[in-house]
Amino acid sequence: MRVGVLTGGGDCPGLNAVIRAVVRKGVQEYGLEFVGFRDGWRGPLEGDTVPLDVQAVRGILPRGGTILGSSRTNPLKAGASGGRDGIERIKDNLAGLGVDALIVIGGEDTLGVATRLGEQGVPVVGVPKTIDNDLGATDYTFGFDTAVNIAMEAIDRLHTTAESHHRALIVEVMGRSAGWIALHAGMAGGANVILIPEQPFDIEQVCAWVQHRFQTQYAPIVVVAEGAHPKDGTDTLVAQERDAFGHVRYGGVGQMLASEIESRTGKEARATVLGHVQRGGTPTAFDRVLATRFGAHAIRAVADGAYGSMVALRGTDIVRVPIADATSELKLVPPERYAEAELFFG
Ligand code: F6P
């Protein structure tokens, strides 16, 4: 039996750990063969492959990124496959390469395509990944813990320079329309204010918290999720383009906040945009373990013929759920979780 593996969407630390576990267990326990597809859905769409065996996965556990490459190619988008139906083209390429099953490691968009392929009879098993931690059906995705730790370390460093210069420092973190990274990094880093997309903010209130922190002789750190927005709905995006799945490119809210805070409070303010630093480098131990367990359980699902399923974390157990459950509803920060963090604002 030959199994294809692909990683799609924004990369995140831990992808290589999944690939390693899939291949090691697949070869050692089930005697399977593997083929890697390059750059997400572009690989099966164009039949672009890379050899994938035990030798190819040696030493990759601590490496960030993905040895298979990634992309945001959307085979469902009209014109993505030169006029031919993307799904049909993928099916033809899989058949031509003798691929009997596909392990798809991805987030909302990549797994959305996997769901469609599964409905069309392609044997797929999903593995959830994203630093945003916004997929339904799983308690955590790998990549999130690493991103949170990177952001927390940045906040720790910003505290000292903020104090020296009596400035308000604003830290813009990723997360798309979910505030998980901001919430966890902000709580872990002792932020003065945390702003998330799920809770539109009042700029007057933010400035009041900032002022209060200055009055208590501490310099404020404001952690803002890239998708956060003011109550009046002002658009803060610096770029207007959308990706192949129709998502806007976030960015700009940190700078907007710095300008507003400076003009309304009279205090110096600076914005730091952490950007792709949060997705790079070596995974934390938590992410390595979660990714390894996901990989091992995904190849077991293939061996069991449990197609259309995705591995997921429930408590401390890895379970199987329908792939569609991951993307049917995004997991956002509930109000009660935000309320826990609010205790420390101002
Ligand atoms: O979904 C992961 C993520 O890093 C988001 O947090 C962010 O908005 C987006 O991807 C950035 O995408 P790109 O790497 O295409 O700029």
Side-chain angles (χ1 to χ4, degrees):
M1 186 177 180
R2 235 174 162 214
V3 180
V5 183
L6 69 84
T7 51
D11 70 343
C12 75
L15 288 168
N16 286 327
V18 179
I19 299 167
R20 168 179 172 268
V22 162
V23 173
R24 287 283 295 274
K25 190 173 169 85
V27 171
Q28 284 167 225
E29 287 192 19
Y30 305 117
L32 302 173
E33 267 182 43
F34 290 90
V35 55
F37 285 103
R38 281 203 173 95
D39 302 340
W41 288 114
R42 192 189 67 71
L45 200 56
E46 298 178 5
D48 191 359
T49 64
V50 57
L52 193 56
D53 55 16
V54 170
Q55 193 50 38
V57 301
R58 289 234 184 272
I60 67 171
L61 173 64
R63 271 171 58 189
T66 160
I67 59 165
L68 299 177
S70 193
S71 76
R72 295 197 190 275
T73 301
N74 181 1
L76 306 179
K77 194 177 169 188
S81 55
R84 284 184 62 202
D85 179 79
I87 301 256
E88 286 308 315
R89 196 162 152 194
I90 288 174
K91 281 170 127 178
D92 289 351
N93 284 337
L94 293 181
L97 290 161
V99 171
D100 306 295
L102 196 55
I103 292 187
V104 178
I105 311 166
E108 178 194 359
D109 301 325
T110 307
L111 293 174
V113 175
T115 303
R116 286 283 300 280
L117 272 177
E119 286 162 4
Q120 308 269 327
V122 178
V124 285
V125 166
V127 177
K129 69 89 222 176
T130 169
I131 62 164
D132 303 338
N133 198 39
D134 60 353
L135 292 177
T138 186
D139 290 351
Y140 284 99
T141 48
F142 62 88
F144 172 67
D145 185 64
T146 307
V148 167
N149 275 283
I150 291 168
M152 180 197 71
E153 281 176 23
I155 295 165
D156 287 349
R157 289 171 190 280
L158 289 168
H159 270 297
T160 62
T161 174
E163 302 296 340
S164 306
H165 289 269
H166 318 290
R167 284 174 174 156
L169 293 183
I170 292 84
V171 191
E172 182 181 308
V173 299
M174 282 186 165
R176 226 175 229 172
S177 48
W180 291 109
I181 298 177
L183 181 75
H184 280 230
M187 283 182 88
N192 181 219
V193 184
I194 301 170
L195 304 175
I196 62 174
E198 295 87 340
Q199 302 278 343
F201 60 85
D202 173 1
I203 189 69
E204 286 294 332
Q205 173 66 75
V206 172
C207 289
W209 281 323
V210 164
Q211 290 280 34
H212 181 258
R213 182 58 68 103
F214 276 121
Q215 281 156 17
T216 53
Q217 306 304 318
Y218 286 111
I221 303 283
V222 177
V223 174
V224 60
E226 60 181 1
H229 46 88
K231 277 185 174 147
D232 68 13
T234 314
D235 184 7
T236 56
L237 299 177
V238 287
Q240 294 305 320
E241 72 248 43
R242 288 174 184 267
D243 68 17
F245 288 89
H247 298 294
V248 293
R249 207 168 108 201
Y250 286 107
V253 67
Q255 188 50 55
M256 179 280 267
L257 274 170
S259 308
E260 286 290 331
I261 289 170
E262 203 164 89
S263 68
R264 287 169 189 252
T265 67
K267 299 282 188 187
E268 259 194 315
R270 297 278 195 280
T272 301
V273 181
L274 293 185
H276 291 82
V277 162
Q278 295 158 97
R279 286 211 326 235
T282 189
T284 58
F286 179 91
D287 281 340
R288 292 183 199 192
V289 172
L290 180 59
T292 298
R293 294 182 72 203
F294 273 170
H297 282 261
I299 197 64
R300 191 153 91 192
V302 168
D304 290 348
Y307 299 123
S309 70
M310 182 188 84
V311 292
L313 182 69
R314 289 277 167 79
T316 54
D317 295 334
I318 308 291
V319 298
R320 289 176 194 166
V321 298
I323 301 179
D325 285 7
T327 56
S328 53
E329 204 178 334
L330 284 184
K331 185 179 67 199
L332 300 176
V333 175
E336 59 274 18
R337 287 294 312 272
Y338 189 67
E340 290 169 356
E342 269 178 319
L343 170 68
F344 301 95
F345 291 4

